[in-house]
Amino acid sequence: MLRFIHCADLHFDRPFEGLHSVASKTKELPRENEQVLANIVKLAIDKKVDFLLFAGDTFHQNRPTLKTQQQFFQQMEQLNKENIPVYMIFGNHDYYEEERYWFDFPTNVHLFKEEKVQTISGQTNAGERYFISGFSYLSPQISQKKVNEFPIKQTDYHIGMYHGDMSSKHFAPFQLQEMKNKNYDYWALGHIHVPTILSEEAAIIYAGTPQGHTQKEESTGVNYVMIDQGQIHWQIVDVSAVKWEQKEVSLSGISQQKAVLDEIIEAFQISERKLVKLSLKDTDLLPTYWLQEKEAQELLDYVNDYLDEHQFEQLVYQVDVVEELAAEKIALPADKELLEHLLATYQQSDKFTETTNELISYPLATQAISMEQLQEETFKQIQEKLESEFSWRKLDGIKES
């Protein structure tokens, strides 16, 4: 059996973004990055893995500070003491320049230092041999396709490390079938921050980022991978130090502002390490324009002071009032569930992803439409169809009544 951890897009020294309204309360957040790395190292030791992979953008920039380097190397030394090798490629953010590093990498850390694909062999403590092939960025962009440089599978275990994107011509573009043709046991991908399975059968996977640094990065983790007699199993392990969350609070039936505070505080009864976007809905009975920009900041400060005082670990970084349109208030639970199912299927379908990404990889197709445009157009058509359907049902309901 081969066991390893696939980590990508750690962005170890990246600041947390979108927190300007609570800047005075975020001084401790940089320490969360240290905790994430410590969590990854602890997981590797606890699982007694054969090695750890960093699939690019381990650092947020190609000039990590002296302190950042020291913290990272100290954690790698913990793995060195446990005889756990580390294999590391560099991405478009932390593209490799040797002179940027104040220290030598620990002896257990194996670097891919060239844009040319290299293959490094290793051996587990049980005596099983494996190959790892990969390349690194030496500048912020790579326009060439790199996948064709990878050798065909050479031994019982062969892993590919790749930092790139099928739909972008600036970040080592590739086609899915080209990766499948290599017959590798696993492709450890980096660059996309959302955990994404491009192919389950061939195990071509983006692990996503271990720690979200913006409110869009809610799904995070690393992959713990096991390969046993040709069977591949993996699971996403949450190693984040702080989560992003959107919390909705209903103010239904509330007509006075003083009652709003109690309703909001009631929603924070569990102490969790989270960054929270607070959305207030059902505000029909409250006075018009009851929450202007100034009052919103005052409310934000009040809630955070309360959480601090009661030693809750949540930090509210934004307060919004959700204005619902009449059409959105139509009760169609069955249709809503069906819609959510269809959208989830669309987003997760291997066949849809493979087909569209293969199509968009061709130069002529790229000139016609980008992947982002294709997705936007698809969702737009779905939305228009549903809005039309909902409107007719609403009219039918009026006629029946």
Side-chain angles (χ1 to χ4, degrees):
M1 177 182 289
L2 192 68
R3 292 175 293 184
F4 60 90
I5 290 173
H6 166 202
C7 173
D9 298 287
L10 176 62
H11 291 269
F12 182 48
D13 47 348
R14 182 181 182 181
F16 288 77
E17 299 174 9
L19 305 176
H20 55 276
S21 297
V22 289
S24 62
K25 295 182 178 293
T26 60
K27 296 178 181 178
E28 299 297 317
L29 278 178
R31 296 184 182 180
E32 307 300 344
N33 287 334
E34 300 174 43
Q35 185 60 54
V36 175
L37 182 59
N39 292 345
I40 294 170
V41 169
K42 183 177 185 301
L43 176 66
I45 294 173
D46 290 347
K47 294 293 187 181
K48 296 181 171 59
V49 298
D50 296 302
F51 50 82
L52 169 62
L53 305 178
F54 285 108
D57 287 355
T58 304
F59 304 107
H60 188 53
Q61 52 193 340
N62 88 311
R63 296 184 180 185
T65 65
L66 177 57
K67 182 179 180 181
T68 295
Q69 293 179 38
Q70 181 188 29
Q71 292 169 344
F72 182 79
F73 291 154
Q74 285 173 343
Q75 290 294 335
M76 295 304 98
E77 283 291 358
Q78 295 296 317
L79 294 174
N80 198 14
K81 292 176 183 177
E82 300 294 330
N83 196 29
I84 297 177
V86 177
Y87 298 92
M88 186 172 173
I89 64 174
F90 296 83
N92 55 295
H93 275 270
D94 62 352
Y95 56 93
Y96 184 69
E97 291 182 321
E98 186 173 6
E99 61 272 17
R100 301 298 184 195
Y101 294 93
W102 290 80
F103 311 99
D104 291 330
F105 280 79
T107 55
N108 64 317
V109 180
H110 305 277
L111 304 180
F112 291 81
K113 299 181 179 181
E114 300 178 12
E115 285 192 3
K116 179 182 177 182
V117 173
Q118 299 173 288
T119 299
I120 300 176
S121 63
Q123 187 169 298
T124 69
N125 293 330
E128 295 181 288
R129 195 180 183 198
Y130 58 84
F131 284 178
I132 298 176
S133 297
F135 66 95
S136 286
Y137 285 63
L138 302 186
S139 63
Q141 295 183 357
I142 294 180
S143 58
Q144 299 86 3
K145 293 174 63 174
K146 304 298 296 181
V147 65
N148 291 331
E149 296 181 21
F150 282 71
I152 300 294
K153 180 178 177 179
Q154 300 180 26
T155 186
D156 289 341
Y157 299 111
H158 202 143
I159 313 298
M161 296 179 71
Y162 201 104
H163 195 91
D165 184 355
M166 280 193 290
S167 61
S168 174
K169 60 183 179 181
H170 300 300
F171 304 111
F174 63 91
Q175 293 183 17
L176 199 56
Q177 190 58 47
E178 293 171 335
M179 284 190 174
K180 290 181 177 181
N181 291 342
K182 302 300 179 180
N183 296 320
Y184 285 11
D185 296 281
Y186 186 92
W187 281 93
L189 306 185
H191 189 63
I192 303 299
H193 286 201
V194 179
T196 305
I197 300 172
L198 294 186
S199 173
E200 191 166 322
E201 179 185 3
I204 303 174
I205 302 173
Y206 286 103
T209 182
Q211 172 62 62
H213 289 90
T214 75
Q215 61 178 298
K216 294 181 179 180
E217 298 174 342
E218 293 185 13
S219 299
T220 62
V222 297
N223 278 3
Y224 170 52
V225 185
M226 295 158 285
I227 306 176
D228 186 13
Q229 296 180 348
Q231 298 296 313
I232 305 172
H233 307 277
W234 66 86
Q235 64 184 87
I236 298 175
V237 182
D238 183 6
V239 292
S240 63
V242 59
K243 284 286 193 182
W244 296 79
E245 179 186 70
Q246 296 190 41
K247 185 185 291 288
E248 284 193 351
V249 175
S250 174
L251 302 180
S252 178
I254 294 177
S255 58
Q256 296 182 336
Q257 284 180 259
K258 60 183 180 181
V260 170
L261 296 177
D262 292 337
E263 200 69 27
I264 291 176
I265 295 303
E266 184 67 25
F268 293 90
Q269 296 302 313
I270 300 176
S271 181
E272 300 172 295
R273 194 73 175 128
K274 289 185 176 180
L275 298 168
V276 180
K277 178 181 179 181
L278 186 61
S279 296
L280 307 178
K281 64 178 186 176
D282 304 322
T283 60
D284 301 7
L285 299 182
L286 286 162
T288 306
Y289 305 119
W290 68 279
L291 196 65
Q292 299 296 310
E293 183 177 348
K294 180 180 179 181
E295 286 78 12
Q297 184 64 51
E298 291 174 352
L299 179 60
L300 191 66
D301 294 339
Y302 174 87
V303 172
N304 282 321
D305 287 344
Y306 173 89
L307 296 175
D308 278 346
E309 182 181 347
H310 292 79
Q311 298 183 332
F312 282 76
E313 293 190 284
Q314 288 117 318
L315 176 65
V316 180
Y317 65 90
Q318 185 176 334
V319 177
D320 285 339
V321 176
V322 179
E323 298 290 346
E324 296 185 54
L325 299 175
E328 292 175 341
K329 295 182 179 181
I330 301 172
L332 292 171
D335 295 292
K336 185 176 180 181
E337 290 178 6
L338 177 60
L339 170 61
E340 291 175 350
H341 172 72
L342 288 172
L343 292 179
T345 302
Y346 160 71
Q347 290 175 309
Q348 297 173 10
S349 169
D350 268 3
K351 182 57 67 177
F352 182 89
T353 301
E354 289 182 26
T355 303
T356 53
N357 280 322
E358 288 283 6
L359 177 63
I360 215 71
S361 297
Y362 290 98
L364 288 177
T366 306
Q367 292 174 19
I369 189 170
S370 69
M371 187 63 180
E372 291 79 8
Q373 290 173 318
L374 180 60
Q375 291 174 337
E376 287 177 8
E377 184 63 28
T378 302
F379 278 113
K380 181 180 178 182
Q381 291 182 22
I382 292 174
Q383 183 180 6
E384 290 175 352
K385 176 67 175 176
L386 287 168
E387 287 176 353
S388 174
E389 182 71 15
F390 285 178
S391 298
W392 277 109
R393 292 191 185 192
K394 183 181 178 183
L395 289 173
D396 287 345
I398 293 174
K399 292 176 181 177
E400 288 174 6
S401 61

